[in-house]
């Protein structure tokens, strides 16, 4: 019987020698969720000029406490002219601060009489002014390589007038479902058959992790069919993922086929759920190797395995540090459990309150109960040979960060 390996050994084997995907140029408007392949340097100061933070009146702070003539009106997008000495300017949020003015007073604090306005006392220079370059300076680093382009980052790029960026090509993934008992939704079920819940679940998770599923197929329970499908998968993709077929049953052909075509780096982990997980490499026609991950067939095992292994693999292929490891939170358990020789990843919902974070475990933690994953926003990590009582501290891996 093969020795059960820890998660850390599996990750080391999985990520050994990973080379990031090539870069490609993409329009910013189509780059949401993609990963920058190159750092972006700011071209412009943001804001590009001193401007007002609110609707009000621009003046020189030395003229505070006086009645001042209103010498100009400055709306956002309207160029300002130098401020006449001893006057003020009616200005609106985002309007350019006129030369000669150094502060803005909000309109609610100003008394107005026709074309004159009385300023309050004691206005400091710089009050209510957004200075040029306050957010970004031209020539500074705008976004680093490895940044995922989510909403704020896309806005950052747009604020520089940037229309195209270099991003990592999405890793191409082949997703194979094994087992004659697995049927795609839409077809009638025969006795003893199940609908394929793994494929849509894993496809969505892989897309969330930045991958592109280029081929999804079902593999009949035969050695010859498994060999053929693995060959085809390695031709089409740089990552091959299977579900099921990696245990020790007579109809589990994936492990043997992997060893025949390529190499098995690691098999069987000291975790629950997901013990029968296989990692290895498959040869590709271009002389390179495809990364192979054989997930167990039980859907909860596939769900947990995706977060623990597929996510960091995609992170390495995309050179994206944010995908290296799941955020870890300390919580108080609201459950009791005892582990055996394997580390347990329990599906929990986190409750945030004044007394801290509480991890609420789903009652049925069986690896076939996918409903425990639907409402889970974290995995509580319970070490091997450990007893947890309600109120004990438990480390949780947060699943809500992607």
């Amino acid at each position: 019987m093969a020795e059960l390996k820890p998660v850390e050994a599996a990750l080391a084997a999985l990520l050994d020698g990973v080379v990031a995907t090539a870069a490609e140029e993409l329009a910013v408007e189509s780059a949401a969720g993609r990963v920058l392949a190159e750092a972006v340097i700011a071209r412009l100061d943001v804001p590009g000029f001193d401007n007002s933070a609110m609707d009000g009146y621009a003046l020189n702070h030395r003229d505070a406490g006086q009645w001042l003539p209103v010498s100009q009106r400055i709306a956002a997008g309207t160029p300002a002219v130098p401020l006449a000495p001893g006057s003020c300017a009616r200005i609106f949020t985002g309007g350019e601060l006129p030369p000669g003015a150094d502060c803005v007073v909000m309109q609610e604090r100003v008394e107005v009489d026709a074309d004159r306005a009385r300023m309050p006392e004691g206005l400091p220079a710089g009050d209510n002014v957004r200075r040029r370059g306050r957010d970004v300076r031209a020539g500074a680093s705008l976004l680093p390589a490895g940044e995922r382009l989510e909403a704020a980052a896309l806005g950052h790029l747009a604020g520089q007038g940037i229309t195209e960026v270099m991003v990592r090509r999405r890793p191409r993934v082949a997703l194979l479902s094994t087992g004659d008992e697995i049927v795609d939704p839409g077809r009638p079920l025969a006795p003893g058959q199940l609908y394929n819940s793994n494929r849509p679940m894993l496809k969505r998770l892989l897309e969330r992790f930045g991958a592109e599923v280029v081929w999804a197929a079902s593999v009949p329970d035969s050695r010859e069919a498994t060999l053929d499908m693995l060959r085809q998968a390695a031709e089409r993709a740089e990552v091959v993922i299977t579900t099921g077929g990696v245990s020790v049953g007579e109809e589990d052909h994936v492990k043997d086929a992997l060893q025949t075509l390529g190499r098995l780096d690691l098999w069987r982990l000291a975790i629950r759920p997901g013990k029968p997980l296989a990692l290895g490499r498959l040869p590709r026609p271009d002389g390179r190797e495809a990364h192979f991950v054989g997930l167990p067939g039980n859907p909860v095992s596939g769900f947990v395995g995706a977060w623990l292994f597929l996510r960091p693999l995609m992170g390495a292929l995309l050179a994206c540090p944010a995908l290296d490891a799941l955020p870890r939170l300390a919580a108080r358990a609201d459950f009791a459990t005892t582990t055996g020789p394997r580390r347990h990843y329990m599906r929990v919902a986190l409750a945030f309150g004044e007394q801290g974070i509480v991890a609420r475990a789903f009652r049925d933690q069986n690896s076939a109960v996918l409903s425990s994953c639907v409402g889970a926003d974290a995995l509580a990590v319970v070490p091997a040979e450990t007893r947890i009582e309600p109120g004990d501290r438990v480390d949780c891996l947060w699943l809500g960060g992607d």
Side-chain angles (χ1 to χ4, degrees), residues 170-194:
R170 291 182 294 173
R172 293 187 292 261
V173 176
L175 183 55
L176 304 180
S177 306
T178 71
D180 290 338
E181 77 280 11
I182 303 301
V183 177
D184 290 335
R187 295 173 52 191
L189 287 176
Q193 291 185 323
L194 303 168

Side-chain angles (χ1 to χ4, degrees), residues 178 181-182 194-199 201-202 242-247 252 274 276-277 294-303 367-368:
T178 71
E181 77 280 11
I182 303 301
L194 303 168
Y195 282 125
N196 189 348
S197 58
N198 275 319
R199 182 180 296 163
M201 176 184 71
L202 292 174
T242 61
T243 57
V246 291
S247 192
D252 292 325
L277 182 140
L295 296 172
N298 279 327
V300 176
S301 300
F303 179 84
S367 61

Side-chain angles (χ1 to χ4, degrees), residues 233-320:
E235 291 174 0
R236 297 169 185 247
E238 54 219 333
V239 179
V240 177
I241 299 168
T242 61
T243 57
V246 291
S247 192
V248 293
E250 293 181 7
E251 297 299 329
D252 292 325
H253 302 290
V254 172
K255 175 172 168 279
D256 174 66
L258 173 64
Q259 291 176 300
T260 300
L261 296 175
R263 76 173 195 262
L264 176 68
D265 292 329
L266 186 143
W267 179 55
R268 292 168 56 87
L269 300 183
I271 66 171
R272 175 188 172 203
K275 180 175 71 171
L277 182 140
L279 304 175
R281 307 291 168 99
L282 287 166
R284 303 189 65 205
D286 59 7
R288 300 181 181 181
E289 291 182 315
H291 302 276
F292 174 85
V293 180
L295 296 172
N298 279 327
V300 176
S301 300
F303 179 84
V304 172
W307 285 100
L308 295 183
F309 301 108
L310 299 185
R311 184 179 185 270
L313 176 58
M314 297 309 136
L317 288 165
L318 291 165
C320 179

Side-chain angles (χ1 to χ4, degrees), residues 46-388:
V46 178
F49 49 87
D50 292 351
N51 68 87
S52 177
M54 59 184 56
D55 295 344
Y57 292 82
L59 68 153
N60 190 288
H61 77 284
R62 290 188 296 268
D63 294 328
Q66 303 180 47
W67 281 96
L68 302 176
V70 180
S71 58
Q72 60 178 300
R73 182 180 186 276
I74 308 168
T78 302
V81 299
L83 188 68
S87 74
C88 65
R90 180 70 167 116
I91 196 167
F92 298 89
T93 304
E96 181 182 8
L97 192 72
D102 63 5
C103 67
V104 173
V105 58
M106 68 175 65
Q107 60 189 18
E108 291 84 356
R109 297 183 63 196
V110 175
E111 182 181 351
V112 178
D113 181 14
D115 59 356
R116 298 188 312 149
R118 181 179 175 82
M119 301 296 123
E121 300 277 357
L123 298 175
D127 202 26
N128 299 319
V129 174
R130 295 185 291 220
R131 293 295 185 189
R132 176 174 181 165
R134 176 177 178 172
D135 186 12
V136 178
R137 288 286 186 183
S141 175
L142 187 74
L143 295 169
E147 180 81 14
R148 294 186 79 178
L149 296 177
E150 301 299 349
L154 292 169
H156 227 21
L157 293 170
Q160 292 287 313
I162 294 172
T163 59
E164 295 182 331
V165 286
M166 296 299 294
V167 297
R168 291 288 174 192
R169 180 179 53 75
R170 291 182 294 173
R172 293 187 292 261
V173 176
L175 183 55
L176 304 180
S177 306
T178 71
D180 290 338
E181 77 280 11
I182 303 301
V183 177
D184 290 335
R187 295 173 52 191
L189 287 176
Q193 291 185 323
L194 303 168
Y195 282 125
N196 189 348
S197 58
N198 275 319
R199 182 180 296 163
M201 176 184 71
L202 292 174
K203 182 175 185 292
R204 174 60 189 136
L205 285 174
L206 286 162
E207 291 170 346
R208 186 173 174 180
F209 303 153
E212 178 185 12
V213 177
V214 296
W215 191 43
S218 298
V219 183
D221 277 334
S222 77
R223 184 176 186 276
E224 293 72 22
T226 305
L227 287 167
D228 179 59
M229 296 295 269
L230 287 183
R231 287 192 193 97
Q232 290 190 56
E235 291 174 0
R236 297 169 185 247
E238 54 219 333
V239 179
V240 177
I241 299 168
T242 61
T243 57
V246 291
S247 192
V248 293
E250 293 181 7
E251 297 299 329
D252 292 325
H253 302 290
V254 172
K255 175 172 168 279
D256 174 66
L258 173 64
Q259 291 176 300
T260 300
L261 296 175
R263 76 173 195 262
L264 176 68
D265 292 329
L266 186 143
W267 179 55
R268 292 168 56 87
L269 300 183
I271 66 171
R272 175 188 172 203
K275 180 175 71 171
L277 182 140
L279 304 175
R281 307 291 168 99
L282 287 166
R284 303 189 65 205
D286 59 7
R288 300 181 181 181
E289 291 182 315
H291 302 276
F292 174 85
V293 180
L295 296 172
N298 279 327
V300 176
S301 300
F303 179 84
V304 172
W307 285 100
L308 295 183
F309 301 108
L310 299 185
R311 184 179 185 270
L313 176 58
M314 297 309 136
L317 288 165
L318 291 165
C320 179
L323 293 172
D324 285 349
L326 286 164
R328 189 175 289 265
L329 302 173
R332 290 183 296 108
D334 83 336
F335 56 88
T337 190
T338 302
T339 57
R342 292 183 286 159
R343 185 187 302 171
H344 193 183
Y345 291 86
M346 300 180 66
R347 281 74 65 206
V348 298
L350 300 181
F352 297 82
E354 294 182 359
Q355 303 303 315
I357 306 172
V358 175
R360 296 173 176 166
F362 290 87
R363 179 173 298 178
D364 194 339
Q365 293 283 325
N366 185 275
S367 61
V369 180
L370 190 56
S371 58
S372 69
C373 300
V374 175
D377 47 29
L379 300 174
V381 184
V382 184
E385 310 295 352
T386 298
R387 174 67 183 173
I388 295 290

